[in-house]
Amino acid sequence: METFSIELNEISHKRSKLIRLWIVGAVILIASIFLSFLLIGDDFKKLAVVLPLLIQVSIYIYFAYATYNARIFIQSDSYALEYNFGLVSKMPKSIIWETVKKIKFGPTYISFHKKSGKKVTISLGWLPYAKLKEIKEKVYQVAQSKSIPCEWAEFKKYS
């Protein structure tokens, strides 16, 4: 059986675009701080405006750093499928292959129907089409090797 691991954090691969985004955000924040100093004359009022702006800058730096270092992935081995799609959550979620009764592939999701009657749906609509297709193909290959029945949802176009 084939194991796979697909890294989904595109930001680390697009370093130049990320640096431009950080620079534009920093310029906007610095400009807003500078304009607040120009528009407000009283020192107490300046402090009342600068403090929230400094908090805003620190939050901006934290989220830029967290986004760049986020580990967003989907991987599988012979025992389970693991995935982590959140920027904040550090614990990956797992689906054990032995508990899966059926897999349903939709246009932007994969549903795992478990033997217990529960259903776990992984939403993949936020991914580029190439990554979405790659993930579906890999999960399908693993399901075939484990002889798990797969079902493909029809895409209906309403006019």
Side-chain angles (χ1 to χ4, degrees), residues 2-15:
E2 182 180 321
T3 63
F4 67 89
S5 180
I6 301 171
E7 184 69 31
L8 300 173
N9 191 357
E10 297 287 327
I11 291 176
S12 61
H13 303 297
K14 298 179 180 180
R15 183 178 289 257

Side-chain angles (χ1 to χ4, degrees), residues 22-55:
W22 285 348
I23 290 173
V24 168
V27 167
I28 290 171
L29 289 172
I30 290 171
S32 65
I33 290 171
F34 181 71
L35 284 175
S36 68
F37 272 120
L38 289 178
L39 296 175
I40 300 172
D42 192 11
D43 287 336
F44 181 73
K45 288 182 183 177
K46 283 182 184 179
L47 182 65
V49 170
V50 171
L51 192 60
L53 285 174
L54 289 176
I55 293 171

